[in-house]
Amino acid sequence: MNDVFLSLTNVNGQPLSNTTCTIGTTQQVYVMLNYTSNANNTPNNCRLFADLSIDGNVTGINAYLGSIAPGAGQRQIYGPFSWTCGQELILDRILIVWRTGGSSSQLASYNCGTYNSAQCEMPGMTVISKPLAVQFTYKACLVGNNLTVYFDSTTNGGIPPYTFAWDFDNNGTTDSTLENPTHVYTTANNTAKLRVTDSQGLTNTYTLAIVSPTELMLSETHVNVSCGGGGTGSIDLSVSGGTPGYTYSWSNGATTQDLSNLSAGTYTVTVTDANGCTKTLQVIISGGDATNPVVTAPGNTTIQGCNSGSLATAGLLAFSSTQTTITAAQFTTAGGSYTDASAISSITYQDVQSGSCPTVITRTFRVTDACNNVGSAVQTITIQDTTAPIIAALPAPSSISCPATPSFATATATDNCGTVASLTFNDVTTNGACAGSYSVTRTWTATDACGNSSTASQTINVQDT
């Protein structure tokens, strides 16, 4: 016998040396003996020995073939057995022996001397390389509505080199020809497809649904350093979403999730999940502060009005003789500012009013930080009354007959800041007594508490008839 070799086929007789398969699928295969016999007589008592290795697991084959008819042929010698796509098959230590001119009955026993050394064949090792198995894995990172997917082709078998055709949304269009591309999805429920062609022109595909992880999220609670420098701070970091497990990289070199024994300062952590997705969070540890806040009060101002009630009309904080709390935004809007090493816990103001013309309000702002350090600054608000009283309209000029005595109506006056301090009058006579016609004019003067005054007059003409 000559041209003796072994091959592996599937259940349809298709050789596994040039095919494709879907990774992980299992099928039944057979070991086949291929031969050409140039003997005139039929070889008898043929037997085959070989080692079948499946990914390193070896099974010994001892197959009795009986008589082999002259000519070329193929004989099944082992199988079927289960083979999973991706496994490499090796047929090694192959020995084919036979006898000629003897009985065709199977030998009841045999040993190394039973067969003539001229009646054997030792074919070379047969390796069935992995069929072209197309596959890929991916890692995905979600940030908002953007899903970034990092594809990794794990295609094997066939005969490299490969060419790649990626269809990220499985719509029949090639989106990338890179081996390991990256794609950003903005929609959900996507499916990706990879088509690979090897150097023989064999083509196979693999399709996989893209599952989005939840977004990697960070939050924390922390303890500040005790005021005055005593004690230490700590950070308790919480991580959710993404793909566990997580790794941690802190700005101070730590790689643990939580931190303790911290001094005051700023700490930044970058968390990386199993897919390589990252998220960064900054934490400020305050404390150890024995310095008062530096406070700048709003600028001094003068307004026109009567008293503390004019503040709101002028757009200022309302008058308060008791300590009143305001927000940082209210303080800033009013024109104040502050600086401090610690967080601010409260801002208050309190007013003291003095004088009347003008009225002076001394407004003290107090800023207290988390360590109970207090800084203060004073704003002076001057309320100036410059509006004169208003005298009600007096009667129009009138005439009487001499010798009657003129009788004048009493004037009334009002003031924008309260009551009128004084209301006086002065009479002026023109051209003397009843020797002829004359007139008397009475002029009223109204004065308020701040010395603002106004005048109004009325005249009576006296006629000698």
Side-chain angles (χ1 to χ4, degrees):
M1 297 179 68
N2 56 17
D3 296 329
V4 177
F5 65 93
L6 299 182
S7 65
L8 290 168
T9 70
N10 60 22
V11 293
N12 298 317
Q14 180 183 12
L16 297 184
S17 59
N18 186 23
T19 187
T20 63
C21 64
T22 301
I23 194 72
T25 59
T26 299
Q27 60 181 303
Q28 300 296 300
V29 296
Y30 301 83
V31 179
M32 307 296 289
L33 172 67
N34 302 272
Y35 66 89
T36 299
S37 174
N38 59 1
N40 293 326
N41 297 319
T42 298
N44 305 121
N45 288 298
C46 294
R47 186 172 292 275
L48 175 141
F49 303 92
D51 288 341
L52 172 64
S53 174
I54 304 176
D55 273 353
N57 297 317
V58 178
T59 300
I61 298 177
N62 180 350
Y64 178 71
L65 305 178
S67 298
I68 302 296
Q74 186 182 68
R75 183 75 63 84
Q76 177 183 322
I77 60 171
Y78 186 75
F81 61 95
S82 295
W83 171 79
T84 301
C85 176
Q87 294 178 326
E88 186 172 68
L89 302 179
I90 299 176
L91 291 168
D92 195 14
R93 293 162 49 95
I94 305 171
L95 173 63
I96 309 293
V97 296
W98 66 90
R99 296 185 60 153
T100 58
S103 170
S104 61
S105 299
Q106 181 176 352
L107 297 175
S109 62
Y110 57 90
N111 55 42
C112 290
T114 302
Y115 295 94
N116 190 302
S117 60
Q119 296 173 337
C120 67
E121 182 78 19
M122 300 180 67
M125 178 176 64
T126 299
V127 178
I128 307 300
S129 299
K130 297 178 181 180
L132 179 60
V134 177
Q135 57 184 352
F136 64 85
T137 61
Y138 66 88
K139 293 182 177 181
C141 297
L142 180 66
V143 178
N145 293 324
N146 292 334
L147 179 67
T148 302
V149 179
Y150 305 91
F151 292 97
D152 181 19
S153 171
T154 54
T155 297
N156 61 79
I159 300 178
Y162 307 125
T163 58
F164 302 88
W166 292 89
D167 183 357
F168 296 132
D169 46 12
N170 196 23
N171 64 355
T173 301
T174 298
D175 299 310
S176 175
T177 58
L178 297 176
E179 181 177 359
N180 301 311
T182 299
H183 183 69
V184 178
Y185 291 99
T186 57
T187 58
N189 302 319
N190 296 285
T191 299
K193 182 177 183 180
L194 171 62
R195 178 180 296 276
V196 177
T197 304
D198 74 355
S199 61
Q200 301 178 96
L202 279 176
T203 297
N204 202 1
T205 60
Y206 183 68
T207 302
L208 190 63
I210 305 301
V211 179
S212 173
T214 57
E215 184 171 357
L216 181 62
M217 302 298 290
L218 309 181
S219 61
E220 58 82 26
T221 57
H222 64 270
V223 175
N224 292 320
V225 176
S226 299
C227 294
T232 58
S234 62
I235 301 173
D236 183 5
L237 180 67
S238 297
V239 184
S240 62
T243 305
Y246 309 113
T247 59
Y248 310 90
S249 177
W250 288 91
S251 54
N252 66 345
T255 56
T256 57
Q257 179 173 348
D258 303 323
L259 299 184
S260 59
N261 298 319
L262 300 177
S263 58
T266 300
Y267 297 84
T268 302
V269 64
T270 299
V271 178
T272 305
D273 72 359
N275 280 355
C277 309
T278 61
K279 187 71 65 112
T280 299
L281 180 68
Q282 185 181 85
V283 183
I284 298 176
I285 299 296
S286 62
D289 180 15
T291 303
N292 293 331
V294 176
V295 182
T296 300
N300 297 334
T301 185
T302 298
I303 62 175
Q304 301 301 316
C306 303
N307 49 40
S308 58
S310 300
L311 298 181
T313 304
L316 301 175
L317 294 169
F319 180 84
S320 176
S321 60
T322 59
Q323 188 166 282
T324 301
T325 300
I326 59 174
T327 66
Q330 287 174 308
F331 185 49
T332 302
T333 301
S337 63
Y338 60 86
T339 58
D340 194 63
S342 300
I344 298 302
S345 61
S346 69
I347 302 175
T348 64
Y349 75 93
Q350 187 171 2
D351 296 329
V352 175
Q353 180 174 311
S354 61
S356 58
C357 294
T359 298
V360 176
I361 295 177
T362 302
R363 174 165 287 177
T364 301
F365 289 93
R366 295 170 58 89
V367 177
T368 304
D369 66 15
C371 292
N372 289 322
N373 302 305
V374 179
S376 63
V378 175
Q379 177 189 25
T380 298
I381 303 172
T382 301
I383 303 174
Q384 183 70 58
D385 178 9
T386 59
T387 303
I390 299 174
I391 300 175
L394 296 173
S398 61
S399 298
I400 61 174
S401 297
C402 187
T405 302
S407 177
F408 293 92
T410 301
T412 60
T414 57
D415 187 67
N416 66 323
C417 289
T419 59
V420 176
S422 66
L423 180 61
T424 61
F425 65 89
N426 179 55
D427 292 340
V428 175
T429 301
T430 303
N431 294 331
C434 279
S437 297
Y438 68 97
S439 64
V440 179
T441 299
R442 176 166 288 184
T443 300
W444 294 89
T445 300
T447 305
D448 67 12
C450 292
N452 303 303
S453 63
S454 61
T455 61
S457 299
Q458 65 180 117
T459 300
I460 297 176
N461 298 310
V462 182
Q463 302 292 329
D464 183 5
T465 58

